[in-house]
Amino acid sequence: MRKLIAGMKISVDARSEGPEGVADWAEAWSEDYGLTPQIDACLLGGGMYPGYERYWTAIQSEPDKPIWITGNAPTPAEIDWARFAAQIPHYVLSSNLTSANWPKTRFIRTLDDVTELKQQAGKDIYLLGGARITASLIDAGLVDELRLIVYPLVAGPGKSLFATAQHRRQLDLRKVEQLDGGKIGLTYGIK
Ligand SMILES: NC(=O)c1ccc[n+]([C@@H]2O[C@H](COP(=O)([O-])OP(=O)(O)OC[C@H]3O[C@@H](n4cnc5c(N)ncnc54)[C@H](OP(=O)(O)O)[C@@H]3O)[C@@H](O)[C@H]2O)c1
């Protein structure tokens, strides 16, 4: 069965977003947690998809122009992710969304659809976020691995990654990496 692997950037106090709804401590959104070689699909929540599509479409269409959110030109890694994202299917878990501009985007409606996706032939699937789908799919026992980048700050107000989690889950620490700028990379298997 294909593995479903979640990646999130959090603060030391486990916030996945600041009060403005963005993890503004992250320098760029191209971080793939080293997953690109082993995945051929992405899964994300209906809350995140519209902004995600808009952000990466802007880089796909005009890679030399500053991005409106950051005011900065895309980094080479962002341009690489924008190209990769255009080639692989994105599955969006949502009961409301029905249309997307990306031809390879598909909407799925239930947790059973996520199970079915995992049972299809293919490489692993990258669960991009946001916090609600990540916590909910971990709760449902559907996520096989969690990759976190912990930023060296206490964010204070904002949304906690596991605010909605209902169940205790034991994690199996597989890898710890000291990253630049005081960040820590953590890879956990989920039992
Ligand atoms: N820190 C990071 O690394 C990181 C990474 C990615 C995103 N983010 C942040 O996350 C924010 C978006 O996340 P979010 O938590 O608001 O939304 P989300 O997790 O992207 O999406 C939640 C939505 O997914 C749909 N859904 C359907 N079934 C679900 C289920 N069983 N469990 C959960 N969701 C289900 C619902 O949409 P419908 O109402 O359409 O059914 C729900 O409103 C963005 O603002 C972004 O900044 C942070």
Side-chain angles (χ1 to χ4, degrees), residues 9 16-17 21 46-48 93-96 130-133 136 159:
K9 301 180 179 76
S16 54
E17 293 171 39
M48 178 177 158
L93 182 63
S94 168
S95 45
N96 292 313
R132 275 181 290 163
I133 188 176
S136 165
K159 199 187 278 180

Side-chain angles (χ1 to χ4, degrees), residues 7-11 15-18 20-26 29 33 44-50 52 92-97 108-111 126-137 140 149 151 159 161 164:
M8 292 294 279
K9 301 180 179 76
I10 59 169
S11 59
R15 301 281 185 246
S16 54
E17 293 171 39
E20 309 299 328
V22 182
D24 57 349
W25 48 86
W29 289 101
Y33 306 85
L44 61 169
M48 178 177 158
Y49 183 75
Y52 173 90
V92 181
L93 182 63
S94 168
S95 45
N96 292 313
L97 296 180
I108 58 173
R109 306 295 178 200
T110 65
L111 296 187
Y126 173 17
L127 175 58
L128 287 163
R132 275 181 290 163
I133 188 176
T134 301
S136 165
L137 296 193
I149 295 181
Y151 282 67
K159 199 187 278 180
L161 172 55
T164 58

Side-chain angles (χ1 to χ4, degrees), residues 28-31 48 50-62 67-68 74-75 77-83 85-86 90 102 128:
W29 289 101
S30 47
E31 178 58 60
M48 178 177 158
Y52 173 90
E53 189 194 77
R54 199 169 149 228
Y55 186 84
W56 294 107
T57 298
I59 298 176
Q60 286 159 0
S61 334
E62 297 183 304
I67 317 161
W68 82 97
T75 64
E78 284 187 307
I79 294 169
D80 287 348
W81 179 262
R83 287 198 187 114
H90 284 64
W102 287 6
L128 287 163

Side-chain angles (χ1 to χ4, degrees), residues 156-190:
K159 199 187 278 180
S160 164
L161 172 55
F162 291 111
T164 58
Q166 300 293 317
H167 302 293
R168 178 178 294 197
R169 278 218 179 254
Q170 201 65 39
L171 304 178
D172 169 29
L173 182 63
R174 292 187 178 157
K175 192 171 171 189
V176 179
E177 291 168 277
Q178 189 164 346
L179 306 173
D180 62 332
K183 292 173 285 190
I184 302 285
L186 297 168
T187 299
Y188 292 104
I190 305 182

